[in-house]
């Protein structure tokens, strides 16, 4: 009679160890990929994904084609394109600023006109004493020459939009023509805009005008010096692209 084999005499196959080891390797790769993706570095993630694809899938690209990698790469491309567009726009505004400063220097207007690039665009700040008589809004004589010089600079802005705004100090005004600073600031802005538009190369459709009265001061109204600074007309050349994103180099913007 044939003796029945005991359980311990049977040979147990060790073939399961190979897929088990492969499974552990894949799990390790998965955790590494998840960790790498959390750093939101599209370039490093793509390189790591390609490496794992080559090892585990014969270069089939299973991990490289993940939606996470594609999305981050697209976002990186968009951010790069936006940064380049902003840099180009700032460079174009800088050219106008340089010419403006040359004009201001030649006309000895350093105390009356300031030009700077802000997140809003290229801003000309003109003190009211360079343009108007007290409590008046007519642009005459020397003021027309300033408007002519400024209009030539604005032509170089191409199709960019231009905003002209009037500002006053907080001293109340009440005349037959101007019952408050609102009316005075608005009339001054309109008057100077009309003077600029005497240049036929400037299209009226590019302009907007506003009067802010006393409500956007740039200095204290407690002193005559501060009030003098607040009485102004601003001419803003708006950029073709928003400059407010945090990728901007603030040292370039406010130089």
């Amino acid at each position: 009679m044939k003796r029945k084999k005991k359980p311990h005499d049977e040979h147990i196959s060790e073939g399961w160890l190979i897929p088990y080891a492969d499974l552990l390797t894949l799990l390790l790769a998965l955790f590494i990929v998840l960790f790498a993706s959390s750093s939101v570095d599209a370039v490093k993630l793509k390189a790591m994904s390609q490496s794992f694809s080559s090892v585990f899938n014969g270069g089939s690209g299973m991990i490289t084609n993940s939606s996470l990698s594609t999305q981050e790469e697209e976002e990186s491309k968009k951010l790069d394109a936006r940064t380049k567009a902003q840099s180009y726009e700032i460079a174009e505004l800088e050219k106008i600023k340089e010419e403006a400063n040359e004009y201001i220097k030649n006309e000895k207007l350093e105390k009356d006109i300031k030009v700077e690039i802000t997140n809003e665009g290229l801003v000309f700040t003109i003190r009211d004493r360079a343009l108007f008589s007290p409590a008046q809004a007519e642009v005459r004589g020397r003021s027309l020459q300033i408007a002519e010089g400024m209009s030539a600079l604005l032509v170089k802005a191409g199709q960019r939009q231009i905003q002209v705004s009037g500002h006053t100090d907080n001293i109340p005004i009440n005349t037959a023509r101007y019952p408050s600073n609102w009316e005075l600031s608005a009339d001054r802005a309109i008057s100077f805009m009309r003077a600029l538009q005497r240049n036929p190369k400037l299209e009226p459709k590019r302009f907007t005008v506003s009067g802010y009265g006393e409500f956007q001061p740039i200095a204290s109204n407690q002193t005559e010096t501060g009030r003098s600074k607040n009485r102004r007309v601003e001419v803003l050349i708006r950029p073709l692209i928003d400059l407010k994103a945090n990728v901007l180099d603030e040292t370039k913007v406010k130089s």
Side-chain angles (χ1 to χ4, degrees), residues 165-225:
S165 59
H167 305 262
T168 69
D169 59 27
N170 67 344
I171 303 298
I173 183 174
N174 187 3
T175 66
R177 186 168 185 179
Y178 303 117
S180 75
N181 282 319
W182 284 109
E183 287 81 4
L184 177 60
S185 64
D187 203 9
R188 283 181 168 182
I190 293 172
S191 181
F192 190 64
M193 179 189 69
R194 293 297 188 192
L196 292 171
Q197 289 180 355
R198 295 176 68 172
N199 188 329
K201 294 181 181 180
L202 291 176
E203 299 175 281
K205 67 179 182 180
R206 292 172 52 202
F207 285 82
T208 57
V209 65
S210 56
Y212 291 102
E214 64 199 68
F215 299 105
Q216 288 193 2
I218 57 174
S220 171
N221 277 309
Q222 300 301 314
T223 65
E224 175 52 38
T225 299

Side-chain angles (χ1 to χ4, degrees), residues 31-186:
F31 283 123
I32 293 175
V33 171
L34 289 175
F35 175 78
S37 66
S38 67
S39 65
V40 195
D41 190 330
V43 177
K44 292 182 178 180
L45 178 60
K46 182 177 180 180
M48 183 177 293
S49 298
Q50 289 175 339
S51 299
F52 282 124
S53 295
S54 299
V55 173
F56 298 119
N57 298 283
S60 63
M62 178 185 68
I63 302 177
T64 304
N65 293 329
S66 67
S67 60
L68 178 62
S69 177
T70 302
Q71 181 180 358
E72 290 179 346
E73 187 173 355
E74 288 300 317
E75 290 177 355
S76 178
K77 289 180 180 178
K78 289 180 181 179
L79 179 60
D80 184 57
R82 181 178 181 81
T83 303
K84 289 180 179 178
Q86 288 175 327
S87 298
Y88 174 81
E89 184 66 10
I90 292 174
E92 291 298 298
L93 295 178
E94 281 285 356
K95 293 178 183 178
I96 303 174
K97 177 185 173 183
E98 290 177 6
E99 292 192 36
N101 282 328
E102 187 68 22
Y103 161 75
I104 292 170
K105 180 180 179 181
N106 292 338
E107 297 297 320
K108 297 180 173 57
L109 294 169
E110 294 93 335
K111 294 182 179 180
D112 293 315
I113 302 178
K114 181 178 69 172
V115 57
E116 61 182 340
I117 297 177
T118 72
N119 281 330
E120 298 295 330
L122 181 64
V123 183
F124 294 85
T125 302
I126 312 167
R127 299 178 73 169
D128 74 325
R129 67 187 185 188
L131 299 177
F132 310 108
S133 299
Q136 299 297 317
E138 289 78 13
V139 178
R140 299 173 179 173
R142 172 66 167 164
S143 302
L144 286 174
Q145 295 178 14
I146 292 176
E148 181 180 358
M150 294 237 359
S151 70
L153 295 169
L154 296 179
V155 168
K156 300 178 184 298
Q159 293 303 308
R160 293 174 178 85
Q161 294 295 302
I162 300 168
Q163 179 178 342
V164 183
S165 59
H167 305 262
T168 69
D169 59 27
N170 67 344
I171 303 298
I173 183 174
N174 187 3
T175 66
R177 186 168 185 179
Y178 303 117
S180 75
N181 282 319
W182 284 109
E183 287 81 4
L184 177 60
S185 64

